[in-house]
Amino acid sequence: MTKHVNAPIGAVWKVVTDLDGAVDTLAGVTHIERLAGEGYAVGTRWRETRKMMAKNLDNFAAKAERIASA
């Protein structure tokens, strides 16, 4: 999937890596539970619930393994 966003890359990165604000800014994310770490750094782990095709997908766990520089 590709989507062009008319904004500076630093501003986009700030939104994408804001786990605590994801429910308010990322489409489909309905809940975030932080499991480990602060901010968005290597080792940060979280569980998120996303709404896809009218269904809630619970227990989708993710972690930050590699951080690209913005």
Side-chain angles (χ1 to χ4, degrees):
M1 172 189 285
T2 301
K3 183 169 184 164
H4 177 77
V5 177
N6 189 19
I9 191 153
V12 174
W13 184 251
K14 187 175 181 178
V15 170
V16 171
T17 59
D18 178 16
L19 295 178
D20 299 316
V23 171
D24 298 322
T25 57
L26 298 179
V29 175
T30 60
H31 179 76
I32 293 280
E33 176 188 0
R34 186 178 292 277
L35 303 174
E38 293 182 21
Y40 190 90
V42 173
T44 300
R45 293 178 44 236
W46 66 95
R47 181 176 297 127
E48 63 187 53
T49 302
R50 289 181 175 254
K51 189 163 192 156
M52 294 180 148
M53 294 185 267
K55 294 182 181 180
N56 282 324
L57 302 177
D58 293 320
N59 299 325
F60 178 82
K63 64 181 176 177
E65 294 180 345
R66 223 176 353 191
I67 306 297
S69 60

